Amino acid sequence: MRAAKVVFGKEPKECEIYAYFLNHWGKLRFGPPVEAQAPKDLGKNPKRVQRQVKGQLQTKGVGTKAQQAVKAQQEAGKQSRLLARKTRTEEERQRLFALRQQKKKEKHKGR
């Protein structure tokens, strides 16, 4: 299920956003909460701190915090879909196995 994108315009008023939330609250999907990172103490060697910050920025990923939250929500949905598909296939495999066993028993009932 894909989320519908909403475009309010260039500068939406608070009343427009509030009215949208009131009318569509049941349809909104919320992702897991995103933890905010506290700033670290930078009281050491400034060059080393600068290198560490540069490394952290490179490994953090592309996009804003909101984009990263949306990506995390997509990944969570992907994992849940994979888990649901795995359980469905396992149930189907069990059903077919039980059907084969039943047919095998029916063949030997007359003996």
Side-chain angles (χ1 to χ4, degrees):
M1 182 156 109
R2 295 189 74 164
K5 295 189 183 202
V6 180
V7 178
F8 289 107
K10 200 166 191 177
E11 292 259 348
K13 295 186 172 109
E14 286 186 24
C15 61
E16 293 173 345
I17 296 172
Y18 184 67
Y20 178 80
F21 281 131
L22 285 178
N23 293 331
H24 297 90
W25 184 259
K27 298 176 188 174
L28 295 176
R29 291 184 2 199
F30 296 100
V34 178
E35 296 180 15
Q37 297 177 350
K40 296 181 180 178
D41 183 27
L42 304 178
K44 303 266 176 163
N45 185 347
K47 287 186 178 181
R48 178 178 295 159
V49 170
Q50 190 175 17
R51 285 193 301 269
Q52 289 174 346
V53 167
K54 185 178 178 183
Q56 288 175 353
L57 288 176
Q58 287 178 350
T59 59
K60 187 158 187 160
V62 180
T64 63
K65 189 172 180 181
Q67 289 171 335
Q68 291 172 359
V70 168
K71 184 55 94 176
Q73 185 178 6
Q74 287 174 346
E75 289 295 324
K78 180 180 177 181
Q79 292 299 323
S80 66
R81 283 192 309 275
L82 288 175
L83 183 63
R85 184 172 63 194
K86 186 175 181 179
T87 56
R88 275 196 315 267
T89 55
E90 185 61 31
E91 288 171 359
E92 181 67 16
R93 190 176 294 135
Q94 291 290 334
R95 187 184 69 80
L96 291 175
F97 178 74
L99 187 63
R100 284 195 309 270
Q101 295 298 325
Q102 183 183 2
K103 284 183 180 181
K104 200 183 291 187
K105 286 181 182 179
E106 287 174 1
K107 284 183 180 180
H108 294 288
K109 245 183 184 175
R111 288 186 179 180

